[in-house]
Amino acid sequence: MKQPKNMELTGMPLVEIAGEKRVLIENHRGVTQYDTDRICVRVKFGQICVCGDGLTLAQMTGACLVICGRIDSVTLLRGR
């Protein structure tokens, strides 16, 4: 499906939650906090924070990263 010009998503973060065990974040700008209960990732307009237990950064490339563990919440913090 073609997006209207005002809905252009190029470079915007994409977050995919797979059940309660995995989160994929595309178009990130690096990790700002890394603990086993909270991982925060910088994106174009703020941060995405994943909270849970036993969290690990399972994969990270320049384009995407994968967080695994027990996922309790995923929060978008604008402007941080």
Side-chain angles (χ1 to χ4, degrees), residues 2-61:
K2 186 175 178 181
Q3 296 284 336
K5 287 192 184 263
N6 63 351
M7 295 292 291
E8 184 64 42
L9 299 177
T10 303
M12 297 302 275
L14 173 67
V15 179
E16 178 182 286
I17 302 171
E20 62 181 18
K21 300 287 184 188
R22 180 179 172 272
V23 175
L24 166 78
I25 302 173
E26 292 183 1
N27 299 319
H28 68 89
R29 294 187 173 182
V31 175
T32 61
Q33 182 179 350
Y34 188 111
D35 294 303
T36 58
D37 61 347
R38 182 179 172 99
I39 298 176
C40 294
V41 179
R42 191 171 357 153
V43 295
K44 187 173 186 173
F45 50 79
Q47 286 190 89
I48 295 170
C49 292
V50 178
C51 296
D53 189 50
L55 300 178
T56 61
L57 192 54
Q59 179 182 357
M60 182 172 172
T61 68

